[in-house]
Amino acid sequence: MSVSRRDFLKLGGAAAGGLLLGTGAPNVASAGGEDPKFLLHKKIGEITTICTYCAVGCGQVVGVQGGKVVNVEGDPDHPINRGTLCSKGAANWQVIYSPERVTQVQYRAPGSDKWETKSWDWTLDRIAQKIKETRDKNFIAKDKDGATVNRVEAIAYMGGAQHTNEEVYTWVKAARALGIVYLEHQARI
Ligand code: SF4
């Protein structure tokens, strides 16, 4: 029997199809038109975010299943890291689940050798009190030449890469209103 080139290709295609079905390879029709190998990904919600650790600001894709983070990987569409992450960024899930994570305010009083757990209400009042005391004690209305400066050199403000633009904008406005002139960001240090 003579077999034309077209017949040969048809037979080859049918044989290959049979081989795939026989070996349990993905069958598009069996999953309502979807390739089963992608179904697992569909059950995991993916959320893009920015790594909280450093000023590089790498993009991450966080896999969430049942309200729990189950995977963290570099975002291939992010222009900063293009899918890569350093070891810290890859272990970012520990920020949420590490048993070592400090979840309450720890305060060590001057001269004390032990930490005490404090409430946020106590802590915020304490911070506000210390800022007010320090500012009042160190406020400089005029410099040595008599020029009005209205500044405080005894307090510094440090921002971090995990702050959003809006948070930093608000913080800088608050710091400037207090007369703070030493504003910095971890990325520049
Ligand atoms: S993944 Fe690493 S380099 Fe990127 S932002 Fe996080 S800590 Fe920085």
Side-chain angles (χ1 to χ4, degrees):
M1 179 181 93
S2 70
V3 179
S4 71
R5 186 169 178 274
R6 182 177 292 269
D7 290 338
F8 177 78
L9 289 174
K10 272 189 197 165
L11 282 168
L19 200 64
L20 282 174
L21 289 170
T23 55
N27 179 356
V28 173
S30 70
E34 293 179 288
D35 189 330
K37 76 178 178 236
F38 296 126
L39 292 182
L40 179 62
H41 297 277
K42 292 218 161 202
K43 287 182 194 154
I44 299 176
E46 288 190 333
I47 298 163
T48 55
T49 187
I50 306 293
C51 177
T52 53
Y53 277 132
C54 92
V56 174
C58 295
Q60 294 176 319
V61 179
V62 178
V64 180
Q65 190 172 27
K68 292 249 176 199
V69 172
V70 292
N71 187 46
V72 176
E73 58 193 46
D75 183 350
D77 295 327
H78 199 281
I80 300 290
N81 54 316
R82 297 189 184 278
T84 63
L85 286 178
C86 77
S87 53
K88 281 200 303 176
N92 215 194
W93 58 271
Q94 293 179 0
V95 169
I96 304 170
Y97 299 124
S98 171
E100 305 296 322
R101 183 182 172 194
V102 177
T103 56
Q104 292 173 297
V105 176
Q106 299 297 303
Y107 171 73
R108 196 177 69 178
S112 172
D113 64 351
K114 51 180 169 297
W115 295 95
E116 298 166 53
T117 300
K118 295 287 188 186
S119 71
W120 275 107
D121 282 345
W122 182 92
T123 305
L124 293 174
D125 284 351
R126 173 86 177 162
I127 292 170
Q129 210 173 45
K130 296 302 280 182
I131 289 175
K132 173 88 168 71
E133 277 173 25
T134 308
R135 181 178 185 268
D136 289 352
K137 199 167 143 194
N138 298 281
F139 192 77
I140 302 167
K142 293 188 185 294
D143 69 8
K144 62 179 173 37
D145 300 320
T148 300
V149 289
N150 290 335
R151 68 184 179 220
V152 178
E153 297 178 358
I155 304 174
Y157 168 70
M158 171 74 77
Q162 59 271 58
H163 295 149
T164 63
N165 281 351
E166 291 74 16
E167 285 167 344
V168 174
Y169 178 87
T170 309
W171 258 110
V172 170
K173 287 284 179 197
R176 295 287 189 212
L178 290 167
I180 296 171
V181 288
Y182 297 130
L183 304 177
E184 256 302 352
H185 188 280
Q186 69 169 97
R188 293 185 355 134
I189 295 177

